[in-house]
Structures are given as structure tokens and as C-alpha cells.
């Protein structure tokens, strides 16, 4: 994560100096890609899974809650910086902020696991990390059912999030109104992440994952039927809350099923098919829109989400 802080900060600084499309692709695709891989949820989830056990769901929800809430702070800050200095200087300042704040925290405070300090998760005396190795997890039914569910969810949700503004404006909604309402997604994530803290104490995680994916499908149904602003708001609240809940639920169910012994390797391997399906979604959805219209594309998303929810209900 220390290396990721440097890469992300340097990429932001370099972004302010790009002048060609090739330079942009290199900085955005490679720089931000590597930096995100080194710092984003799979890595931070590994830290949480190693350090927390009895209150792991709380820790994961708080982590992702703050991740979503940060957009509420940084979007206005970005607007102020761009207005004051221009976009190039703004992204360079953000790069300096990234390095100045996160690098010391990651380098000086963060430790890979509590055993490095003679502790165990949640404090106490050190004990050997328990759980499956990567090869063992890879051969389990649970790994593939969870991976298929999350992959199908990302396949659909990435498509919807890319297309929803254009879809709503094609329905006759004013673009400023649509962007304002849809811009509340960052806030809509928060209730879902707060609710799962409580719900996880009473409901098995696989049922919560299935419920979140099913709610995403209901959200897309609301989007597809939107003819008034009230339905658009309902879509944002339902889909946004479910989408927001899925991140901490994924982190928690992987730790519950496979332990923390090889958690980082397992969730990283799982991320490969998830990333592939997330990239394919907009491509397939866009082709469906071009050939048959938005209804066909979004119905395909609903079907993918419904299938994902059903897979989570199968016995592990």
C-alpha cells in the first residue's frame, strides 16, 4: 500500500502533464491501474480480515462507508481546485495530497498482520492464522459460487452505471436534473453499508449477498420503468444501497468461508474474473443497445443479477 500511494500520487501528478492520447492511456490505464490494484479494496480488505475477527463486518462496513463518503468531500474540493487553478494544477495538487497523507500512514503505521506485533485479531496473544490455502480454496464449490455471483453483479452494475444518464436523458429528463440526482449515488451507498453491520449479526452472509444482488435487479427494474423523477430517486436509493452493501459483504463472506491464512491471494484471484466480467458488461450492453435498444440491454442486466442471486442460494 505504501508503493501504491507513491504510484497513485505520481500518476496524478503526471496526469497534469499529459498532452497526447497515448500519454493519457499510459497514465490512466497503467499508472492508475497499478496504483489502484495496490491500494484499493482487495488489499485493504486483506488488512481488515487479518486484524479483525469478531467485529470484522463492522470494520469492513466502516472502511467502505468512508470510501463512499470521501466522494462527498472530494467532489466539491475538486471543483474548487479546478475553478481556482485549472484541471492540470488541480490533479497535481491531488497527487501531492495523496502522497503527503497516505504514504506516511501506510509506511509507518500499517502492519501486514497482528502476529507481526505479537498479537492476534481483535487483540490478545498471538495465534497461528487459520484458513485455507489458495489451492484449497480454488477447488471449493463456495469459491466459484461466490465468484460467479459477484462477477455477474459487476457485469450488470458496470453497464447500468455507465448507461443510466444517457438512458434517462433519452427518456426526456433534463440532463442537469439527471446528473444531480444520479450524483447522489455516493450518498446512496451509505445506508446499505450501515444496514449490513446490523443485519450480519442476525442473517447468514450468503443470504445478505443474495439479497443485495436481488435488490440491484429491482433497482434496474425501477430504472427501466422510470417516467417520473420519483422513480429515478427510488432507483438511485434501491440500486445505490444494494451496490454499496455488496463491497463489505464480499470482503466478509470471503473471510468467513476461507479464513485469513491466504485471504489476500484468494480475493486477488477472485478479482480476475470479476474484472473481466466488469469490463465485458459495458461492451455487451452497448452492443445490445445499438442493436435492440436500452430495454434489451437492461433486461439482460436484470437476468444476470437474478442468476447471481440464485447462485448464492445454492448449498455451498
Amino acid at each position: 500500500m505504501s508503493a501504491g500511494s507513491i504510484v497513485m500520487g505520481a500518476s496524478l501528478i503526471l496526469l497534469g502533464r499529459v498532452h497526447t492520447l497515448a500519454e493519457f492511456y499510459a497514465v490512466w490505464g497503467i499508472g492508475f491501474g497499478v496504483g489502484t490494484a495496490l491500494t484499493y479494496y482487495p488489499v485493504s480488505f486483506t488488512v481488515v480480515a487479518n486484524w479483525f475477527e469478531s467485529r470484522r463486518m463492522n470494520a469492513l462496513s466502516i472502511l467502505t462507508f468512508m470510501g463512499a463518503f470521501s466522494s462527498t468531500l472530494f467532489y466539491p474540493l475538486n471543483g474548487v481546485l479546478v475553478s481556482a487553478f485549472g484541471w492540470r494544477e488541480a490533479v497535481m495538487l491531488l497527487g501531492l495530497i495523496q502522497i503527503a497523507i497516505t504514504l506516511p500512514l501506510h509506511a509507518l503505521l500499517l502492519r501486514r498482520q497482528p502476529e507481526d506485533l505479537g498479537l492476534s485479531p481483535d487483540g490478545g496473544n498471538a495465534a497461528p492464522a487459520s484458513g485455507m490455502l489458495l489451492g484449497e480454496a480454488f477447488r471449493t464449490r463456495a469459491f466459484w459460487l461466490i465468484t460467479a455471483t459477484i462477477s455477474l453483479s459487476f457485469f450488470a452494475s458496470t453497464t447500468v452505471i455507465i448507461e443510466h444518464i444517457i438512458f434517462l436523458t433519452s427518456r426526456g429528463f433534463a440532463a442537469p436534473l439527471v446528473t444531480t440526482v444520479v450524483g447522489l449515488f455516493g450518498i446512496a451507498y451509505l445506508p446499505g453499508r450501515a444496514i449490513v453491520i446490523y443485519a450480519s449479526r442476525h442473517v447468514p452472509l450468503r443470504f445478505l449477498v443474495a439479497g443485495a444482488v436481488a435488490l440491484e435487479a429491482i433497482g434496474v427494474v425501477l430504472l427501466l420503468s422510470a417516467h417520473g423523477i420519483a422513480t429515478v430517486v427510488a432507483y438511485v436509493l434501491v440500486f445505490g444501497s444494494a451496490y454499496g452493501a455488496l463491497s463489505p459483504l464480499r470482503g466478509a463472506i470471503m473471510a468467513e468461508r476461507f479464513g485469513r491464512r491466504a485471504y489476500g491471494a484468494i480475493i486477488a484471484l477472485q478479482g480476475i474474473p470479476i474484472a473481466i466480467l466488469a469490463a465485458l458488461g459495458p461492451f455487451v450492453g452497448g452492443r445490445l443497445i445499438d442493436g435492440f435498444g436500452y430495454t434489451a440491454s437492461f433486461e439482460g442486466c436484470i437476468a444476470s443479477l437474478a442468476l447471481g442471486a440464485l447462485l448464492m442460494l445454492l448449498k455451498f
Side-chain angles (χ1 to χ4, degrees):
M1 296 190 80
S2 299
S5 296
I6 296 172
V7 172
M8 288 295 289
S11 297
L12 282 163
I13 294 170
L14 289 172
L15 185 63
R17 290 290 177 262
V18 301
H19 294 282
T20 68
L21 189 59
E23 291 172 347
F24 173 78
Y25 283 155
V27 172
W28 192 270
I30 299 174
F32 283 103
V34 172
T36 300
L38 293 174
T39 56
Y40 201 47
Y41 285 152
V43 179
S44 56
F45 283 176
T46 303
V47 175
V48 171
N50 274 310
W51 279 90
F52 296 89
E53 194 165 84
S54 63
R55 298 179 67 82
R56 185 179 286 143
M57 188 73 247
N58 297 52
L60 287 167
S61 295
I62 291 170
L63 171 69
T64 55
F65 184 98
M66 294 306 297
F69 184 70
S70 65
S71 62
T72 306
L73 302 177
F74 271 88
Y75 277 127
L77 173 62
N78 294 346
V80 170
L81 291 176
V82 171
S83 298
F85 304 108
W87 76 266
R88 291 184 181 274
E89 288 72 16
V91 293
M92 293 176 70
L93 283 171
L94 290 173
L96 293 174
I97 291 171
Q98 170 87 19
I99 294 173
I101 294 177
T102 65
L103 179 57
L105 292 174
H106 290 153
L108 301 178
L109 297 181
L110 188 63
R111 294 296 179 268
R112 187 174 66 90
Q113 57 187 8
E115 287 79 6
D116 295 341
L117 300 179
L119 300 172
S120 63
D122 303 317
N125 297 322
S130 61
M132 295 184 183
L133 295 174
L134 177 61
E136 296 172 318
F138 186 77
R139 292 189 294 271
T140 63
R141 177 182 174 91
F143 176 85
W144 290 107
L145 286 175
I146 296 169
T147 300
T149 294
I150 303 298
S151 297
L152 288 168
S153 171
F154 272 77
F155 176 84
S157 60
T158 307
T159 305
V160 171
I161 289 171
I162 286 177
E163 299 288 354
H164 58 187
I165 289 178
I166 302 300
F167 167 70
L168 289 170
T169 54
S170 73
R171 281 278 178 96
F173 291 95
L177 177 63
V178 170
T179 53
T180 299
V181 174
V182 173
L184 297 175
F185 255 101
I187 297 175
Y189 296 160
L190 304 183
R193 291 174 179 175
I195 289 169
V196 295
I197 295 177
Y198 173 80
S200 63
R201 301 171 191 164
H202 307 279
V203 182
L205 290 178
R206 71 188 186 97
F207 292 147
L208 291 178
V209 173
V213 176
L215 278 177
E216 284 185 314
I218 293 172
V220 183
V221 171
L222 290 170
L223 173 65
L224 197 53
S225 62
H227 293 282
I229 194 63
T231 312
V232 177
V233 172
Y235 152 69
V236 171
L237 292 175
V238 172
F239 187 88
S241 294
Y243 184 83
L246 203 55
S247 287
L249 285 172
R250 176 196 172 196
I253 196 171
M254 294 297 288
E256 178 188 76
R257 289 287 168 176
F258 306 109
R260 63 190 188 91
R261 186 179 179 188
Y263 181 92
I266 293 169
I267 202 168
L269 178 65
Q270 183 191 60
I272 296 173
I274 291 174
I276 291 172
L277 266 290
L280 281 176
F283 174 77
V284 174
R287 295 300 296 267
L288 287 172
I289 291 169
D290 290 341
F292 306 100
Y294 283 102
T295 298
S297 180
F298 288 163
E299 284 178 348
C301 292
I302 293 167
S304 296
L305 292 166
L307 176 59
L310 289 173
L311 289 176
M312 283 304 296
L313 298 178
L314 299 177
K315 186 177 180 180
F316 288 173

